[in-house]
């Protein structure tokens, strides 16, 4: 071992010693805290009968207990972080000479800060700290970083990268940030995992600009497949949580995810970065809950995709039209027409409450014109009730208010959204939904979002004020009308990301063209053209499927993709068994759910060396072994080895994009199996 490595090893061992000392202190604090909590419980049960009658002592005891529990929880989080740091305390070092100084300062960078004691200068700096930006943004030479006090300038005299595992220094070398450096290739060349990994050791300059962006209210990222969009979004959230603790907590962040498996796949990153997991939600599931009072069930997006795969051109045409700006405007016109049609005005009298038809009409149109139509009569009712209670000096009880509410709501000719939506479809000359009672209704997916949009045009919408940052992944799969709904629900900062080349409902959709029409001009657009996931050979092949020549590829080389033709699905699956390797994750990706199920059953009966999993829309976990699924459920995931099976004579836009999505899932090996018709 040379002198430089010996020095690095000694530094690492000294840091690990101090981390262990700190860990011992934390362990002792946790033990003492647990004992204190036990003592508090004992004291309470021995003395609660003698506590003062007003409950002050009881309250003080409860508050003291809560404070101690919270303190212990904080210590446990510190313990968890320190234990992780014992495995790999840092991954980089930057030597920075401040302007006007002669000797550089050394800054070690890791997952979290570490200092000997609170308030001391850290021995290891969190990757999100301002000074850590030097590592990601600059090569050797002039550099600067932002602090609360302003811009600090100077010169980077040295940059080092480390590989430390289980507390052992595997290597350390001088490094400038180059996109195809050895560490990046080594990270990307390793096997895939069933959870998305953090990328703090390999964040690239263009990625870092997105992660550390705090000035833009709405940041829209168009990124090529494999550019790290989802990882970047989650690292960005971790960065924002770190820098704005007073205003932003994990509970204030919401990620719109396509399905439960994807949510499971991304669930490890934030805890690895020292943050709590944020809220995640399927937007479709949200819509179904909002329409639960309208219909018993709703189709989902995957039903729509299956219909498109069955080559139902009329369905695809309707589907796209019903998500368009033109359809939203047609709904708006219909809602305006309802202003003069929906209410049957008449006198209302109940006990001492008496209000004329003319006054109700005047209040409805003149006093509350800005209130949505189906919420407006409630405002009129409240006005009439308040006026009567003031004049009579007596408040109505709950039972009386119930009857009054029924009378006023009965002035609407109908409040059934399903009926109103059918009336709209009929006026537009479109096929109406079956005339059924609520318990028998199932809303087609093409009508789910238009119906929800109509609901929000007719009823008061409660803004989700608790959400202060919204992340929208796979932005290309949301329609114009869905973004209108999002705008009605959220007024917070947003990170919106996706890839128009991976649209899964027909023609590619570049939503950046219409987002300013919905959210205003307060948007910043960033394009990421560099792909890091696939080998150069796989990336080049995938780009040829969609004729894209603008995507830059990392020159990490591997085997050429293999194209083979088969006359039957069973022959293709037999070839899968011959070629499958002992990777962490392998995938058989089919076009439709029916094909995927056939493949799953066939492989399950014959493959014993690896676990075989069927991933469908109801799945909630991504597991190691062979995953059999469809292209639309594989989107967002990655696998070491991919076998895509598709039909030869299908050259629709949807199938081209499906093949592209399947191809770009592969890290190391790609097989494209064509079934001859």
């Amino acid at each position: 071992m040379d002198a430089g490595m010996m020095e690095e090893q000694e530094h690492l061992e000294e840091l690990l010693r101090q981390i262990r000392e700190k860990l011992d202190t934390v362990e002792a604090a946790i033990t003492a805290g647990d004992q204190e909590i036990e003592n508090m419980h004992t004291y309470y049960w021995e003395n609660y009968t003698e506590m003062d009658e007003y409950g002050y002592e009881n309250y003080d005891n409860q508050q003291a207990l809560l404070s101690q529990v919270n303190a212990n929880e904080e210590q446990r989080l510190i313990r968890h972080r320190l234990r992780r740091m014992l495995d790999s305390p840092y991954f980089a070092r930057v030597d920075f000479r401040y302007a006007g100084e002669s000797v550089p300062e050394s800054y070690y960078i890791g997952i979290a800060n570490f200092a000997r004691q609170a308030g001391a200068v850290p021995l290891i700096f969190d990757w999100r700290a301002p000074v850590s930006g030097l590592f990601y943004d600059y090569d050797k030479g002039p550099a600067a970083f932002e602090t609360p006090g302003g811009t600090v300038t100077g010169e980077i005299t040295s940059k080092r990268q480390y590989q430390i595992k289980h507390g052992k220094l595997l290597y350390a070398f001088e490094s400038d940030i180059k996109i195809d450096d050895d560490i990046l290739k080594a990270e990307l060349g390793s096997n895939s995992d069933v959870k998305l990994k953090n990328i703090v050791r390999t964040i690239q300059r263009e990625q870092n600009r997105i992660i550390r962006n705090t000035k833009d209210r709405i940041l829209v990222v168009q990124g090529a497949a494999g550019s790290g969009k989802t990882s970047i979004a989650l690292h960005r959230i971790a960065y924002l949580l770190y820098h704005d603790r007073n205003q932003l907590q994990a509970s204030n962040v919401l990620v719109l995810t396509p399905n439960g498996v994807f949510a499971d796949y991304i669930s490890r990153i934030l805890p690895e970065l020292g943050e709590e997991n944020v809220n995640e939600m399927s937007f479709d599931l949200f819509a179904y809950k909002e329409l639960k009072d309208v219909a018993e069930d709703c189709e989902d997006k995957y039903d729509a995709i299956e219909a498109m795969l069955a080559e139902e051109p009329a369905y695809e045409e309707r589907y796209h039209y019903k998500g368009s700006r033109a359809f939203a405007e047609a709904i708006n016109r219909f809602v305006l027409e309802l202003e003069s049609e929906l209410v049957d005005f008449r006198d209302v009298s109940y006990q001492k409450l008496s209000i004329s038809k003319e006054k109700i009409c005047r209040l409805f149109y003149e006093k509350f014109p800005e209130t949505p139509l189906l919420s407006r009569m409630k405002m009129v009712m409240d006005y009439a009730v308040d006026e009567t209670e003031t004049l009579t000096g007596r408040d109505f009880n709950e039972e009386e208010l119930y009857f009054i509410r029924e009378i006023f709501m009965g002035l609407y000719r109908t409040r059934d959204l399903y009926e109103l939506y059918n009336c709209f479809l009929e006026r537009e000359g479109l096929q109406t939904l079956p005339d059924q009672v609520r318990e028998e209704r199932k809303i087609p997916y093409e009508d789910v979002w238009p119906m929800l949009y109509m609901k929000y045009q007719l009823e008061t919408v409660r803004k989700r004020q608790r959400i202060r940052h919204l992340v929208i992944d796979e932005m290309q799969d949301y329609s114009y009308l869905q973004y209108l709904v999002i705008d009605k629900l959220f007024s917070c900062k947003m990170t919106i990301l996706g890839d128009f080349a991976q649209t899964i409902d027909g023609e590619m959709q570049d939503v950046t063209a219409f987002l300013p029409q919905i959210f205003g001009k307060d948007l910043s657009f960033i394009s990421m053209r560099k792909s890091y996931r696939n080998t150069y050979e796989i990336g080049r092949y995938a780009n040829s499927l969609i004729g894209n020549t603008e995507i830059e590829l990392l020159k990490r080389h591997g085997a050429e993709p293999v194209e083979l033709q088969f006359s039957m699905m069973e022959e293709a699956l037999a070839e899968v068994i011959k070629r499958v390797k002992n990777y962490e994750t392998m995938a058989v990706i089919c076009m439709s759910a029916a094909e995927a199920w056939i493949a799953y059953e066939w492989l399950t009966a014959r493959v014993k060396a690896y676990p075989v999993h069927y991933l469908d829309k109801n799945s909630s976990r991504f597991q190691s072994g062979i995953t059999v699924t469809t292209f639309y459920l594989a989107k967002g995931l990655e696998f070491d080895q991919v076998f895509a099976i598709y039909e030869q004579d299908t050259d629709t836009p949807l199938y081209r994009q499906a093949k592209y999505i399947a191809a770009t899932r592969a890290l190391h090996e790609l097989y494209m199996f064509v079934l001859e018709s």
Side-chain angles (χ1 to χ4, degrees):
M1 184 180 293
D2 62 31
M5 280 293 286
M6 287 183 64
E7 184 180 334
E8 290 287 3
Q9 183 66 43
E10 289 172 1
H11 178 81
L12 172 61
E13 289 173 0
E14 174 58 22
L15 264 178
L16 290 173
R17 184 188 66 79
Q18 295 190 44
I19 292 171
R20 290 189 190 99
E21 284 185 0
K22 185 73 171 285
L23 186 57
D24 288 342
T25 302
V26 171
E27 292 279 14
I30 292 173
T31 300
D34 287 341
Q35 183 60 54
E36 182 63 20
I37 290 171
E38 186 177 337
N39 293 342
M40 287 181 176
H41 281 300
T42 301
Y43 175 82
Y44 178 81
W45 288 112
E46 289 178 351
N47 297 278
Y48 80 96
T49 56
E50 299 176 11
M51 291 181 182
D52 65 273
E53 61 180 303
Y54 300 106
Y56 295 127
E57 188 177 356
N58 182 34
Y59 175 80
D60 289 343
N61 273 276
Q62 292 297 324
Q63 290 301 109
L65 177 61
L66 178 61
S67 177
Q68 186 61 57
V69 168
N70 289 338
N72 261 30
E73 185 60 31
E74 180 66 26
Q75 291 295 315
R76 283 184 167 84
L77 291 173
I78 294 172
R79 180 177 66 183
H80 175 72
R81 183 170 71 242
L82 291 172
R83 285 175 174 174
R84 289 183 57 239
M85 294 184 82
L86 284 176
D87 179 72
S88 181
Y90 52 86
F91 56 83
R93 188 184 100 184
V94 176
D95 292 350
F96 183 70
R97 183 166 58 230
Y98 289 85
E101 299 291 332
S102 58
V103 180
E105 295 278 351
S106 294
Y107 296 103
Y108 285 84
I109 300 168
I111 289 290
N113 282 325
F114 175 74
R116 289 188 182 92
Q117 57 192 27
V121 175
L123 301 173
I124 301 170
F125 284 82
D126 192 293
W127 66 278
R128 297 165 289 186
V131 72
S132 301
L134 293 170
F135 172 71
Y136 297 115
D137 290 336
Y138 294 97
D139 299 329
K140 291 180 185 177
F145 64 95
E146 298 295 327
T147 71
T151 303
V152 176
T153 60
E155 179 187 7
I156 294 176
T157 60
S158 175
K159 288 176 63 175
R160 287 195 171 191
Q161 291 180 265
Y162 305 93
Q163 176 73 292
I164 301 171
K165 283 190 176 180
H166 309 304
K168 301 296 182 184
L169 180 63
L170 303 183
Y171 60 71
F173 63 85
E174 288 288 322
S175 172
D176 285 346
I177 287 297
K178 292 184 175 62
I179 203 68
D180 54 353
D181 65 26
D182 291 338
I183 284 187
L184 179 59
K185 288 182 180 178
E187 286 286 319
L188 298 172
S190 63
N191 284 356
S192 179
D193 200 345
V194 293
K195 304 282 187 184
L196 193 61
K197 296 177 284 191
N198 79 70
I199 58 170
V200 292
R201 299 175 69 243
T202 58
I203 292 172
Q204 302 304 302
R205 210 168 283 166
E206 63 172 355
Q207 298 172 331
N208 197 45
R209 281 195 291 270
I210 297 170
I211 290 169
R212 293 175 183 256
N213 181 308
T214 57
K215 62 183 177 60
D216 293 310
R217 193 180 78 83
I218 299 179
L219 186 62
V220 182
V221 181
Q222 160 58 37
S227 59
K229 297 180 295 296
T230 302
S231 288
I232 291 166
L234 293 170
H235 285 69
R236 173 169 160 75
I237 292 303
Y239 180 83
L240 295 174
L241 290 171
Y242 177 84
H243 278 270
D244 197 10
R245 295 283 187 207
N246 294 330
Q247 298 297 321
L248 190 69
Q249 304 295 322
S251 59
N252 303 135
V253 180
L254 175 64
V255 181
L256 296 184
T257 58
N259 52 60
V261 168
F262 186 76
D264 175 62
Y265 182 55
I266 66 175
S267 63
R268 188 170 71 184
I269 285 188
L270 285 170
E272 276 191 354
L273 298 175
E275 302 293 345
E276 295 179 38
N277 258 326
V278 297
N279 304 297
E280 55 82 17
M281 177 181 73
S282 160
F283 205 32
D284 280 351
L285 183 58
F286 168 80
Y288 308 155
K289 289 180 178 177
E290 289 289 280
L291 294 174
K292 203 65 182 172
D293 61 336
V294 179
E296 183 65 25
D297 197 8
C298 299
E299 289 184 356
D300 58 37
K301 186 176 184 68
Y302 306 121
D303 293 320
I305 297 169
E306 290 289 339
M308 293 178 202
L309 289 170
E311 297 184 10
E312 299 179 19
Y315 178 89
E316 188 168 346
E317 184 178 342
R318 289 197 318 272
Y319 176 80
H320 287 120
Y321 173 56
K322 288 182 176 180
S324 69
R325 178 177 182 174
F327 201 66
E329 290 174 346
I331 292 174
N332 293 341
R333 289 193 298 270
F334 174 73
V335 170
L336 284 175
E337 292 169 3
L338 286 179
E339 284 272 341
S340 59
E341 302 174 9
L342 191 58
V343 181
D344 182 14
F345 293 102
R346 55 185 182 272
D347 297 342
V348 168
S349 181
Y350 179 80
Q351 294 185 0
K352 293 186 177 182
L353 185 152
S354 181
I355 183 170
S356 68
K357 165 185 173 180
E358 291 75 20
K359 186 171 183 178
I360 294 173
C361 187
R362 187 170 64 253
L363 290 170
F364 193 85
Y365 288 118
E366 296 178 12
K367 188 169 182 61
F368 305 111
E370 302 301 318
T371 302
L373 199 57
L374 287 180
S375 299
R376 200 179 302 174
M377 193 57 75
K378 172 68 165 52
M379 303 292 287
V380 175
M381 183 200 80
D382 289 343
Y383 182 93
V385 167
D386 288 345
E387 186 177 58
T388 303
E389 288 178 338
T390 301
L391 290 173
T392 61
R394 186 185 76 84
D395 291 348
F396 291 105
N397 60 39
E398 285 299 317
E399 184 179 356
E400 292 167 336
L401 287 173
Y402 171 80
F403 285 111
I404 293 170
R405 188 179 299 111
E406 289 297 300
I407 295 171
F408 274 94
M409 294 303 109
L411 299 180
Y412 289 112
R413 291 189 169 95
T414 180
R415 293 162 58 213
D416 187 337
L417 184 66
Y418 191 88
E419 290 182 19
L420 291 170
Y421 185 73
N422 257 346
C423 179
F424 162 71
L425 292 177
E426 187 174 11
R427 292 190 189 186
E428 291 296 307
L430 298 171
Q431 178 67 45
T432 58
L433 306 180
D435 184 11
Q436 298 170 317
V437 295
R438 194 204 71 84
E439 291 75 18
E440 297 175 358
R441 295 171 182 171
K442 183 174 184 178
I443 304 172
Y445 189 72
E446 65 187 87
D447 297 297
V448 167
W449 291 99
M451 193 177 292
L452 184 58
Y453 177 68
M454 180 179 286
K455 176 178 180 176
Y456 288 166
Q457 291 297 82
L458 289 168
E459 298 178 7
T460 300
V461 183
R462 181 177 58 85
K463 289 275 188 181
R464 270 55 180 179
Q465 300 292 352
R466 187 175 62 84
I467 302 303
R468 295 175 186 163
H469 199 104
L470 179 70
V471 178
I472 303 174
D473 204 357
E474 306 294 354
M475 66 180 181
Q476 71 281 353
D477 292 332
Y478 291 82
S479 68
Y480 182 95
L481 200 143
Q482 284 175 300
Y483 278 109
L484 288 179
V485 171
I486 289 171
D487 185 51
K488 283 185 170 292
L489 291 171
F490 304 100
S491 55
C492 58
K493 294 182 177 181
M494 300 182 191
T495 302
I496 304 174
L497 56 147
D499 176 19
F500 64 82
Q502 296 184 67
T503 310
I504 58 173
D505 55 6
E507 296 286 351
M508 293 183 187
Q509 177 180 232
D510 184 4
V511 302
T512 62
F514 61 69
L515 286 180
Q517 301 169 17
I518 297 172
F519 297 116
K521 296 181 180 180
D522 188 18
L523 292 90
S524 180
F525 295 96
I526 295 178
S527 180
M528 299 175 61
R529 297 180 179 177
K530 190 100 179 186
S531 177
Y532 306 106
R533 176 187 295 136
N534 321 112
T535 62
Y536 181 82
E537 289 73 18
I538 292 173
R540 181 178 59 191
Y541 173 85
N543 292 341
S544 72
L545 294 174
I546 58 171
N548 194 325
T549 59
E550 296 182 356
I551 298 176
E552 301 173 42
L553 301 171
L554 179 72
K555 289 184 173 56
R556 178 177 69 86
H557 291 285
E560 289 284 350
V562 176
E563 285 187 331
L564 295 174
Q565 291 190 341
F566 302 91
S567 59
M568 299 173 61
M569 169 75 82
E570 290 76 8
E571 293 177 1
L573 295 173
E575 191 67 21
V576 169
I577 294 177
K578 288 181 185 177
R579 292 178 179 264
V580 72
K581 295 181 181 176
N582 189 25
Y583 285 113
E584 180 73 13
T585 58
M586 302 84 83
V588 175
I589 300 178
C590 301
M591 296 299 109
S592 71
E595 291 167 348
W597 180 253
I598 290 170
Y600 168 71
E601 288 195 312
W602 197 93
L603 289 170
T604 300
R606 292 163 178 81
V607 176
K608 305 303 177 186
Y610 314 104
V612 181
H613 309 285
Y614 179 63
L615 194 157
D616 66 7
K617 63 185 181 182
N618 297 315
S619 300
S620 59
R621 290 184 61 208
F622 180 36
Q623 304 177 74
S624 60
I626 301 174
T627 295
V628 185
T629 190
T630 58
F631 76 94
Y632 52 80
L633 287 168
K635 188 151 65 72
L637 307 177
E638 59 184 35
F639 305 88
D640 296 305
Q641 188 181 36
V642 167
F643 300 89
I645 303 175
Y646 58 94
E647 297 175 11
Q648 181 181 37
D649 62 351
T650 307
D651 193 33
T652 63
L654 180 57
Y655 263 76
R656 283 196 296 274
Q657 283 155 238
K659 287 186 283 186
Y660 175 73
I661 291 167
T664 53
R665 301 308 95 201
L667 282 170
H668 310 306
E669 294 185 30
L670 173 64
Y671 299 86
M672 302 294 281
F673 290 172
V674 184
L675 301 180
E676 299 173 349
S677 56

